[in-house]
Amino acid sequence: MKRTLLHLFLAAWLLPLAVFAADPAFNGRWRLDTERSTALDGWSTLDLVITVDGPKVTLFHDLTWHATKVTATNVVDTAQATTAKDFFRLDQRHMAVYARPGEETPVTAGWLDAGRTLRVEAQVPLETSQGNTTMRLYQEYRLIEGDNELVLIELHNTRSRPLVYLFTRVPAEAAKK
């Protein structure tokens, strides 16, 4: 009887942790499908490399435009709120909107849909020609059925329409090249 109660207690304690864990299919290199995505002005290619390590999720952006290569990384924590220096936004290249020097971006993240959607929210401090402002950014990285496609839906408080980026998984052997 005591053993059964112990097992029930452990199951009740561990089950919520499992519900909030990431689906391992997130890990890997994802390539932007430009034909089926919102226009990514200023960039010709985008790879997104996602690495989940416990509550920390690394979002590595690898972008090109002709001979120009840019990489940027955002690390989010699904267990606690954090701050990020130079939080990277895909649309920042041609907006004439810049991160405010010396300021950090408050970021929260969490798992939705039994670990199949990563939610990221950021309050990005910006400098514009009209003065200082803060952009509220909401992102959902959703695994699509079959785990070979990922969609990024991004909402900004400064835009009336969402940005939608569709990625396809890059096979592991191709990602090493």
Side-chain angles (χ1 to χ4, degrees), residues 13-23 114-115:
W13 185 72
L14 292 174
L15 182 61
L17 294 177
V19 169
F20 293 108
D23 190 310

Short mmCIF file of all heavy atoms in Angstrom, two decimals, residues 13-23 114-115:
data_model
loop_
_atom_site.label_atom_id
_atom_site.label_comp_id
_atom_site.label_asym_id
_atom_site.label_seq_id
_atom_site.Cartn_x
_atom_site.Cartn_y
_atom_site.Cartn_z
N TRP A 13 3.78 14.08 -9.30
CA TRP A 13 4.80 15.12 -9.27
C TRP A 13 5.54 15.20 -10.60
O TRP A 13 5.84 16.28 -11.10
CB TRP A 13 5.78 14.82 -8.14
CG TRP A 13 6.81 15.90 -7.96
CD1 TRP A 13 6.62 17.15 -7.46
CD2 TRP A 13 8.19 15.81 -8.31
NE1 TRP A 13 7.81 17.83 -7.47
CE2 TRP A 13 8.79 17.04 -7.99
CE3 TRP A 13 8.98 14.81 -8.87
CZ2 TRP A 13 10.13 17.30 -8.20
CZ3 TRP A 13 10.32 15.07 -9.08
CH2 TRP A 13 10.88 16.29 -8.75
N LEU A 14 5.83 14.06 -11.23
CA LEU A 14 6.61 14.05 -12.47
C LEU A 14 5.76 14.33 -13.71
O LEU A 14 6.28 14.85 -14.69
CB LEU A 14 7.33 12.71 -12.64
CG LEU A 14 8.45 12.44 -11.63
CD1 LEU A 14 8.98 11.03 -11.82
CD2 LEU A 14 9.56 13.45 -11.77
N LEU A 15 4.49 14.01 -13.71
CA LEU A 15 3.64 14.22 -14.87
C LEU A 15 3.61 15.67 -15.33
O LEU A 15 3.81 15.94 -16.50
CB LEU A 15 2.22 13.70 -14.62
CG LEU A 15 1.27 13.83 -15.80
CD1 LEU A 15 1.78 13.01 -16.99
CD2 LEU A 15 -0.12 13.39 -15.42
N PRO A 16 3.42 16.65 -14.42
CA PRO A 16 3.46 18.04 -14.90
C PRO A 16 4.79 18.41 -15.53
O PRO A 16 4.84 19.19 -16.47
CB PRO A 16 3.20 18.86 -13.63
CG PRO A 16 2.49 17.94 -12.72
CD PRO A 16 3.05 16.56 -13.03
N LEU A 17 5.91 17.87 -15.03
CA LEU A 17 7.21 18.17 -15.64
C LEU A 17 7.28 17.63 -17.05
O LEU A 17 7.81 18.27 -17.95
CB LEU A 17 8.34 17.58 -14.79
CG LEU A 17 8.52 18.20 -13.40
CD1 LEU A 17 9.61 17.47 -12.64
CD2 LEU A 17 8.80 19.67 -13.48
N ALA A 18 6.73 16.45 -17.28
CA ALA A 18 6.75 15.85 -18.62
C ALA A 18 5.88 16.65 -19.58
O ALA A 18 6.20 16.79 -20.75
CB ALA A 18 6.30 14.40 -18.55
N VAL A 19 4.75 17.17 -19.08
CA VAL A 19 3.84 17.93 -19.93
C VAL A 19 4.52 19.20 -20.45
O VAL A 19 4.28 19.63 -21.56
CB VAL A 19 2.55 18.27 -19.16
CG1 VAL A 19 1.70 19.28 -19.89
CG2 VAL A 19 1.76 17.01 -18.89
N PHE A 20 5.40 19.79 -19.65
CA PHE A 20 6.03 21.05 -20.02
C PHE A 20 7.38 20.87 -20.70
O PHE A 20 8.09 21.81 -20.93
CB PHE A 20 6.16 21.96 -18.80
CG PHE A 20 4.83 22.40 -18.28
CD1 PHE A 20 4.32 21.90 -17.10
CD2 PHE A 20 4.05 23.30 -19.00
CE1 PHE A 20 3.09 22.29 -16.64
CE2 PHE A 20 2.81 23.70 -18.55
CZ PHE A 20 2.32 23.19 -17.36
N ALA A 21 7.74 19.64 -21.01
CA ALA A 21 9.01 19.38 -21.68
C ALA A 21 8.85 19.57 -23.18
O ALA A 21 7.78 19.37 -23.73
CB ALA A 21 9.49 17.97 -21.36
N ALA A 22 9.94 19.92 -23.83
CA ALA A 22 9.92 20.12 -25.28
C ALA A 22 9.86 18.79 -26.01
O ALA A 22 10.43 17.80 -25.56
CB ALA A 22 11.16 20.87 -25.71
N ASP A 23 9.23 18.80 -27.15
CA ASP A 23 9.29 17.66 -28.04
C ASP A 23 10.70 17.64 -28.62
O ASP A 23 11.19 18.67 -29.11
CB ASP A 23 8.26 17.84 -29.15
CG ASP A 23 8.08 16.61 -30.00
OD1 ASP A 23 9.11 16.07 -30.47
OD2 ASP A 23 6.94 16.21 -30.21
N ALA A 114 1.51 20.50 -25.21
CA ALA A 114 2.28 19.31 -24.81
C ALA A 114 3.70 19.33 -25.37
O ALA A 114 4.23 18.31 -25.80
CB ALA A 114 1.54 18.03 -25.19
N GLY A 115 4.31 20.51 -25.38
CA GLY A 115 5.70 20.63 -25.82
C GLY A 115 5.90 20.76 -27.31
O GLY A 115 7.03 20.74 -27.79
#
